[in-house]
């Protein structure tokens, strides 16, 4: 076998997945048909949950200076962050090219081969793996692997070769996008309705502004047929401002086409990122959801190829991420209707603005976009409200052996965690659970300490977590108090025990 996993596509999702697989102990090779990154950046930020995912692996700090978004919205309807009981603020102004560069450097440090100018041409499954047809500078060759993953975008050749359906809603609206230098355009960070359409403007770096334009009457356009003069004319028509003197560094067009792969896994072939879902840009969710796909899949696939996983572990990737993708498509379609429709939608915008003044609707919509409210079915009989949600990465523990540590730092190795706190020290059931978890210490780090106050007086979630089993992707697979012991959860998510001395932090 040439490698355990072959990943097709070296965009942010493919790079993130390759790094996750390597951290999980899998042998992975990444193939990319482009000779070098394009430098184009459809995305210019990411959601709160994507920021936490990067933080879990020590990657957020590698981006250098970045700006935390100060406005939460749904379809341009502002939500007051003061009434939210969680941090939903994402990162803005970071172009996708910068994220791709950062992830490329990371996987290079991990020793993942990234072979450029190698195009995927097809595959065939055999008894013990997949034979992948790759065309490179030296010609065509077949490479054998145990699993193949397509991270090759909305027109995924891997998805098409696998015969996986991609149903959805065809494009009905067109939009322009351009990066323009030298115009000093007034920011319109969450978009602004103007007579005749919607415009958006965000400051990037080096005097460049990103603009997005949606004229109400614009039909879907081919990106290659758009000129800057056409974009500048449209901007002036909607805003009264001339940018004709500006220097375009990138221009393109996109549509509101919305589709989702019917299957995220078919046998030994899996899909992630835009290969599984395309939608209108809304709230920086596209790249962010793809990164979450990668982090959900990476540790599961690595455990599978290493022989450490239960047979059904890999099936949980589709079971968890397909509903998340469907929720993404539903909320982006809803936001598009609110954002892009004309004055006939003003009554709905007004009513929605009234609803989000109440905490519960505001939390629901903000959590949907930020993805911090994502909850997975852990198949665990428990009444604990934290079961199945992510453990906030900025929570801190004062360790029993001294020192303080953030949850994000504990997740850096992409291993499981079994956390017990001083609150649980008098609970004999938790003590028994901790001794049991030690039998998985080759895959799980045991941590004991005391939660430090989060700094938010309204945040009482820490009181619900006396002990917890945390998956490598940061989600709580078992929590005490609230249910039976963790034996079933340990076996479900981490396979059979291999008794060793516990690794205490």
């Amino acid at each position: 076998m040439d490698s355990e996993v072959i990943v097709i596509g070296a965009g942010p999702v493919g790079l993130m997945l390759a790094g996750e697989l390597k951290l999980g102990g899998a042998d992975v090779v990444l193939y990319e048909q482009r000779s070098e990154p394009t430098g184009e950046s459809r995305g210019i930020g990411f959601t709160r949950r994507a920021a936490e995912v990067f933080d879990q692996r020590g990657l957020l700090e590698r981006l250098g200076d970045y700006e935390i978004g100060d406005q939460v919205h749904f379809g341009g309807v502002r939500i007051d962050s003061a009434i939210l009981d969680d941090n939903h603020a994402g990162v803005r102004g970071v172009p996708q090219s910068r994220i791709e560069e950062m992830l490329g450097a990371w996987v290079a440090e991990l020793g993942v081969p990234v072979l450029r100018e190698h195009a995927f041409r097809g595959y065939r499954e055999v008894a013990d793996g997949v034979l992948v047809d790759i065309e490179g500078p030296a010609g065509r060759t077949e490479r054998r692997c145990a699993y193949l993953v397509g991270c090759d975008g909305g027109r995924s050749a891997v998805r098409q070769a696998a015969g996986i359906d991609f149903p959805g809603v065809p494009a009905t609206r067109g939009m322009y996008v351009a990066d323009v230098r030298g115009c000093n355009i007034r920011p319109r960070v969450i978009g602004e309705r103007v007579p005749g359409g919607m415009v958006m403007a965000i400051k990037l770096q080096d005097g460049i502004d990103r603009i997005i334009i949606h004229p109400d009457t614009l039909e879907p356009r081919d990106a290659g047929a758009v000129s800057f003069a056409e974009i500048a004319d449209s901007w002036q028509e909607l805003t009264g401002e001339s940018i004709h003197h500006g220097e375009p560094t990138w221009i393109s067009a996109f549509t509101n086409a919305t589709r989702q792969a019917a299957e995220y896994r078919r046998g030994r072939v899996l899909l992630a990122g835009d290969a599984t879902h395309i939608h209108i840009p809304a709230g920086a969710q596209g790249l962010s959801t793809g990164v979450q796909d990668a982090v959900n899949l990476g540790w599961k696939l690595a455990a599978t190829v290493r022989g450490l996983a239960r047979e059904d572990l890999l099936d949980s990737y589709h079971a968890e991420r397909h509903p998340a993708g469907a929720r993404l498509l539903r909320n982006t379609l809803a936001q598009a209707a609110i954002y892009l429709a004309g004055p006939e939608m003003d009554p709905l915008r007004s009513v929605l603005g009234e609803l989000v003044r109440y905490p519960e609707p505001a939390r629901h919509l903000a959590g949907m976009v930020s993805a911090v409210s994502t909850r997975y079915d852990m198949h665990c009989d428990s009444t604990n409200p934290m079961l199945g949600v992510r453990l906030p990465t900025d929570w801190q523990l004062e360790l029993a052996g001294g020192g303080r540590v953030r949850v994000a730092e504990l997740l850096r190795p992409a291993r499981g965690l079994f956390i017990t706190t001083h609150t649980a020290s008098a609970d004999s059931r938790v003590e028994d659970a901790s001794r049991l978890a030690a039998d998985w210490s080759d895959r799980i780090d045991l941590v004991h300490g005391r939660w430090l106050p989060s700094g938010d007086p309204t945040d009482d979630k820490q009181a619900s977590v006396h002990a917890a089993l945390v998956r490598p992707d940061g989600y709580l697979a078992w929590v005490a108090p609230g249910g039976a012991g963790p034996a079933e959860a340990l076996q479900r998510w981490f396979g059979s025990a291999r008794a060793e001395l516990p690794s205490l932090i």
Side-chain angles (χ1 to χ4, degrees):
M1 190 167 293
D2 297 300
S3 58
E4 291 172 327
V5 183
I6 286 177
V7 176
I8 305 296
V13 176
L15 291 166
M16 189 77 205
L17 176 61
E20 291 291 299
L21 287 163
K22 190 69 173 181
L23 287 175
D27 175 32
V28 54
V29 177
L30 199 158
Y31 291 98
E32 167 58 54
Q33 65 178 354
R34 298 173 301 175
S35 60
E36 58 185 21
T38 65
E40 297 176 358
S41 299
R42 285 186 174 270
I44 50 172
F46 43 89
T47 64
R48 174 63 186 178
R49 182 56 192 151
E52 292 180 340
V53 165
F54 287 142
D55 194 16
Q56 288 175 181
R57 303 298 184 252
L59 300 174
L60 193 59
E61 59 197 40
R62 290 174 176 240
L63 287 171
D65 294 334
Y66 56 85
E67 181 181 0
I68 301 295
D70 57 359
Q71 297 183 45
V72 180
H73 71 95
F74 187 87
V77 177
R78 297 173 186 269
I79 298 173
D80 182 4
S81 58
I83 68 174
L84 302 174
D85 61 356
D86 211 331
N87 185 351
H88 296 270
V91 170
R92 70 185 186 197
V94 177
Q96 181 174 321
S97 57
R98 189 164 141 204
I99 299 169
E100 196 168 319
E101 180 182 2
M102 177 272 289
L103 291 172
W106 177 55
V107 299
E109 291 172 14
L110 292 173
V112 176
V114 179
L115 303 180
R116 294 190 173 273
E117 297 184 85
H118 285 74
F120 170 83
R121 297 303 184 206
Y123 79 92
R124 57 192 176 96
E125 283 201 39
V126 293
D128 60 346
V130 185
L131 293 176
V132 185
D133 185 0
I134 299 291
E135 184 174 9
R140 292 177 73 152
T141 183
E142 278 192 331
R143 313 301 294 176
R144 181 184 289 268
C145 62
Y147 289 90
L148 168 67
V149 188
C151 300
D152 51 340
R155 295 183 175 89
S156 172
V158 175
R159 185 189 65 239
Q160 294 177 44
I164 296 174
D165 289 341
F166 200 42
V169 180
T172 59
R173 297 177 181 272
M175 282 151 275
Y176 299 126
V177 59
D179 292 345
V180 187
R181 179 183 282 115
C183 290
N184 193 29
I185 299 170
R186 176 174 66 83
R188 300 161 172 90
V189 175
I190 66 172
E192 184 177 288
R193 289 292 312 173
V194 295
M198 186 277 292
V199 294
M200 183 180 295
I202 301 174
K203 292 195 175 297
L204 301 179
Q205 71 287 330
D206 302 325
I208 297 175
D209 295 291
R210 161 70 56 86
I211 61 171
I212 296 175
I213 315 168
H214 172 66
D216 286 340
T217 58
L218 185 64
E219 296 183 352
R221 295 290 309 277
D222 185 296
V226 176
S227 70
F228 179 63
E230 185 179 2
I231 292 175
D233 287 347
S234 182
W235 183 265
Q236 186 168 21
E237 181 180 349
L238 292 183
T239 68
E241 304 167 4
S242 176
I243 59 171
H244 291 82
H245 61 285
E247 175 193 349
T249 61
W250 179 56
I251 62 173
S252 189
F254 55 90
T255 73
N256 63 338
T258 303
R259 298 184 180 277
Q260 183 181 24
E263 303 165 72
Y264 283 23
R265 178 194 180 191
R266 176 172 285 187
R268 291 181 175 270
V269 178
L270 301 105
L271 304 172
D274 287 353
T276 65
H277 39 69
I278 61 169
H279 54 90
I280 189 173
Q285 294 182 82
L287 180 148
S288 301
T289 302
V291 166
Q292 292 169 75
D293 292 342
V295 173
N296 184 286
L297 174 60
W299 66 276
K300 296 173 181 177
L301 185 51
T304 299
V305 298
R306 292 177 62 202
L308 300 176
R310 282 187 9 172
E311 290 184 3
D312 60 350
L313 178 63
L314 204 50
D315 290 332
S316 71
Y317 170 60
H318 174 93
E320 293 180 347
R321 293 308 297 167
H322 191 275
R327 191 182 191 209
L328 162 71
L329 268 54
R330 182 163 54 94
N331 93 62
T332 53
L333 283 170
Q335 291 195 72
I338 299 166
Y339 252 134
L340 304 181
E344 70 276 8
M345 291 294 286
D346 284 344
L348 178 60
R349 296 179 185 115
S350 177
V351 170
L352 187 60
E354 293 177 4
L355 285 175
V356 297
R357 294 173 191 165
Y358 297 94
E360 195 58 35
R363 284 196 295 267
H364 181 77
L365 294 178
M368 188 182 296
V369 176
S370 68
V372 301
S373 64
T374 297
R375 181 187 295 272
Y376 298 135
D377 182 358
M378 294 298 171
H379 305 277
C380 184
D381 184 14
S382 174
T383 59
N384 195 296
M386 291 292 288
L387 182 70
V389 302
R390 103 285 188 219
L391 188 62
T393 54
D394 54 1
W395 282 14
Q396 292 189 65
L397 277 167
E398 184 176 63
L399 299 174
R404 298 183 176 188
V405 66
R406 295 170 57 237
V407 166
E409 296 170 297
L410 293 171
L411 288 167
R412 296 283 158 85
R415 287 164 53 88
L417 295 174
F418 193 87
I419 298 175
T420 55
T421 69
H422 293 305
T423 308
S425 59
D427 190 333
S428 61
R429 292 172 298 176
V430 170
E431 186 176 345
D432 291 342
S434 183
R435 283 196 293 266
L436 176 65
D439 291 340
W440 279 263
S441 62
D442 59 323
R443 281 151 279 172
I444 297 173
D445 292 325
L446 276 63
V447 185
H448 183 65
R450 178 178 66 87
W451 291 121
L452 295 173
S454 66
D456 182 352
T458 67
D459 186 359
D460 59 355
K461 297 186 185 71
Q462 289 181 345
S464 300
V465 183
H466 296 178
L469 175 63
V470 189
R471 305 190 322 188
D473 58 358
Y475 285 84
L476 290 158
W478 174 85
V479 192
E488 184 177 349
L490 285 161
Q491 293 169 9
R492 173 178 293 277
W493 302 110
F494 295 96
S496 300
R498 292 185 178 179
E500 295 181 7
L501 291 175
S503 174
L504 296 174
I505 295 181

